[in-house]
Amino acid sequence: RWFTHFYVVSVLWNGFLLIQLFRAEFLGVSLPSQIQQVQYALGRDSQSEDTGNEHFSVLLVLLLLWLHSCRRLAECLWTSVFSSGVIHIVQYCFGLGYYLALGSTVLCQVPTSVRNGKGLSVQICWYHIVGVMIYIWASLHQHRCLVILANLRKSKSGKVISLNHSVPFGDWFERVSCPHYFAELLIYISMAITLGFHNVTWWCVVMYVLFNQALAAVLCHEFYQKNFSSYPKHRKAFIPYV
């Protein structure tokens, strides 16, 4: 349940960055000097010019990231039913730092012209539409899967009756043990597409999410197989059919 803290931090921090970028993009206000110093430290000047429609892509991805954090926070508060499981202090600190660094990583893709308050024209490209559509599709399925998991511990009236693990069925659970992890990967891929496919930095983020979620999914899959003798044998751990 302490994952809730991650999303509180993400909503506040990435919301702040989103407001600052919106002001720079549409109101011609320079980004705060502290943010620009972080960008300098992370080497943003090595690519100072806008390549294509990069500035709007960054704004859109930061918005998607913030909306994702808002939804996950709402699910942690009002949907999920957590057991008494604990998290290691190292994992906890890393998680907090991860969501602080993630928004900063997105913002570092902003070109110098926007950073200094010189707004550019906004053009919606085909990859923006494709990325947003995949984002919505994956987000809907992730929410459905989290509702399925929560309902395993609730009665029909919605009252929590157990904190034990049960075998989930329905939606993407028919194909994989951890479809909510698979949906998380698709959400990050959708952001890479929204950035125009070519952003190497964000594809590195996608690779991190891939390995992180795959490891968690395999451990969960092995737990199901060990504790439930009738667990469906056709289900994969993370990615359907793989």
Side-chain angles (χ1 to χ4, degrees), residues 13-30:
W13 172 244
N14 293 319
F16 168 74
L17 296 181
L18 181 62
I19 291 173
Q20 297 303 321
L21 183 55
F22 182 88
R23 295 175 70 229
E25 180 75 48
F26 296 105
L27 302 180
V29 179
S30 298

Side-chain angles (χ1 to χ4, degrees), residues 7 11 14 39-40 231:
Y7 299 117
V11 167
N14 293 319
Q39 291 179 310
Y40 296 147
Y231 192 72

Side-chain angles (χ1 to χ4, degrees), residues 156-228:
K156 292 183 179 179
S157 62
K159 182 180 178 180
V160 177
I161 57 176
S162 173
L163 295 181
N164 295 327
H165 292 280
S166 303
V167 178
F169 293 91
D171 205 79
W172 286 357
F173 279 109
E174 300 302 321
R175 296 297 179 186
V176 293
S177 295
C178 300
H180 46 307
Y181 295 159
F182 177 55
E184 185 82 1
L185 174 63
L186 291 179
I187 288 171
Y188 278 84
I189 290 176
S190 74
M191 295 181 190
I193 294 173
T194 303
L195 284 170
F197 290 96
H198 64 275
N199 193 295
V200 177
T201 301
W202 195 257
W203 280 113
C204 290
V205 175
V206 171
M207 291 303 295
Y208 163 76
V209 173
L210 168 62
F211 291 122
N212 176 273
Q213 299 295 288
L215 174 60
V218 168
L219 293 175
C220 187
H221 184 66
E222 291 176 347
F223 172 85
Y224 280 130
Q225 291 178 322
K226 179 180 178 180
N227 290 276
F228 300 97

Side-chain angles (χ1 to χ4, degrees), residues 31-43 115:
L31 292 177
S33 59
Q34 297 89 339
I35 293 179
Q36 294 199 37
Q37 289 173 3
V38 172
Q39 291 179 310
Y40 296 147
L42 295 178
R115 185 198 315 167

Side-chain angles (χ1 to χ4, degrees), residues 4 30 80 110 113 124 133 144 178 194 216:
T4 305
S30 298
S80 298
V110 175
S113 53
I124 298 178
M133 290 178 63
R144 290 174 185 170
C178 300
T194 303

Side-chain angles (χ1 to χ4, degrees), residues 7-132:
Y7 299 117
V8 169
V9 169
S10 183
V11 167
L12 294 176
W13 172 244
N14 293 319
F16 168 74
L17 296 181
L18 181 62
I19 291 173
Q20 297 303 321
L21 183 55
F22 182 88
R23 295 175 70 229
E25 180 75 48
F26 296 105
L27 302 180
V29 179
S30 298
L31 292 177
S33 59
Q34 297 89 339
I35 293 179
Q36 294 199 37
Q37 289 173 3
V38 172
Q39 291 179 310
Y40 296 147
L42 295 178
R44 180 54 186 126
D45 277 351
S46 63
Q47 186 182 354
S48 60
E49 298 299 325
D50 182 28
T51 56
N53 203 24
E54 183 183 33
H55 59 105
F56 179 65
S57 300
V58 173
L59 178 65
L60 189 54
V61 167
L62 195 56
L63 174 62
L64 295 179
L65 179 62
W66 181 74
L67 291 174
H68 176 62
S69 301
C70 289
R71 179 180 60 82
R72 291 293 295 117
L73 176 59
E75 289 167 343
C76 285
L77 293 174
W78 298 298
T79 301
S80 298
V81 180
F82 297 103
S83 65
S84 57
V86 297
I87 183 173
H88 195 283
I89 185 63
V90 174
Q91 291 175 298
Y92 180 74
C93 293
F94 178 83
L96 293 177
Y98 171 77
Y99 282 100
L100 289 173
L102 199 59
S104 304
T105 299
V106 176
L107 201 64
C108 281
Q109 313 307 308
V110 175
T112 304
S113 53
V114 174
R115 185 198 315 167
N116 293 329
K118 298 178 182 178
L120 303 174
S121 60
V122 174
Q123 296 178 343
I124 298 178
C125 300
W126 65 270
Y127 50 82
H128 294 149
I129 298 174
V130 172
V132 170

